[in-house]
Amino acid sequence: MTILALRIRLHAPWVHSLKEKRMVVKSLLAKLQNKFNVSAAEVGEQDIHQIIVIGLAAVAAHQAQADSIQEEIGTFVAQNTEAEILDIEREIY
């Protein structure tokens, strides 16, 4: 069993309030949870309007499956939000 933990940092330059940011984050989290059956939450920079930090955790059978999940999630995030991906940090347990 392999546990994949991702931290995705996004920049959303059009967001000008925490309310706008909340709407973007809530939508993206719901889409990720529904599509990939992962645990996801906003995990940092919650007081900064234009920076979004999302943490995800998934269980995979082996390393190759964890790699595949990470690739799919990165592609999905890039296609389903106008925010720019600044960084993706990954940990495997």
Side-chain angles (χ1 to χ4, degrees):
M1 177 176 74
T2 302
I3 299 171
L4 170 67
L6 293 175
R7 185 173 169 206
I8 302 172
R9 188 174 165 91
L10 304 161
H11 180 245
W14 72 92
V15 174
H16 298 292
S17 71
L18 291 176
K19 185 176 181 180
E20 268 185 285
K21 178 182 176 181
R22 217 175 15 254
M23 288 173 31
V24 172
V25 170
K26 192 173 181 178
S27 172
L28 185 57
L29 291 177
K31 288 176 185 177
L32 285 165
Q33 290 167 340
N34 289 333
K35 178 143 178 87
F36 297 102
N37 194 26
V38 296
S39 295
E42 185 178 11
V43 295
E45 307 289 349
Q46 294 176 347
D47 293 335
I48 299 174
H49 296 48
Q50 297 180 345
I51 300 295
I52 299 167
V53 182
I54 295 175
L56 297 119
V59 176
H62 43 75
Q63 179 76 36
Q65 185 180 18
D67 293 340
S68 175
I69 292 169
Q70 177 187 351
E71 179 96 13
E72 289 177 22
I73 287 174
T75 301
F76 182 83
V77 169
Q79 292 175 348
N80 285 278
T81 183
E82 294 176 23
E84 173 190 357
I85 297 175
L86 298 176
D87 185 37
I88 298 178
E89 295 177 21
R90 161 189 156 153
E91 293 184 34
I92 298 283
Y93 302 99

